[in-house]
Amino acid sequence: MLPFVFEWHWDIGHIVFFGLFYGVVSVVFGVLGLTILKTILDLWAGKIHSADH
């Protein structure tokens, strides 16, 4: 069952699971956001690699 269903009962298992789940999701999106930001800043600063590396 889902948290928005009326029969939902919060217990320690749900709290731990969703805490870990949202923690992992936050880390993944945080790293993705930082990667995109660094890429944009590198492109803006002109640090583009040439085709011959």
Side-chain angles (χ1 to χ4, degrees), residues 2-34:
L2 300 171
F4 54 82
V5 176
F6 292 115
E7 294 87 19
W8 182 268
H9 297 289
W10 282 100
D11 59 2
I12 192 68
H14 289 109
I15 293 170
V16 169
F17 173 77
F18 282 111
L20 291 173
F21 177 74
Y22 288 124
V24 169
V25 168
S26 297
V27 168
V28 168
F29 281 117
V31 170
L32 183 62
L34 287 174

Side-chain angles (χ1 to χ4, degrees), residues 17 34 36 40 47-48:
F17 173 77
L34 287 174
I36 291 170
I40 290 170
K47 297 179 185 177
I48 301 171

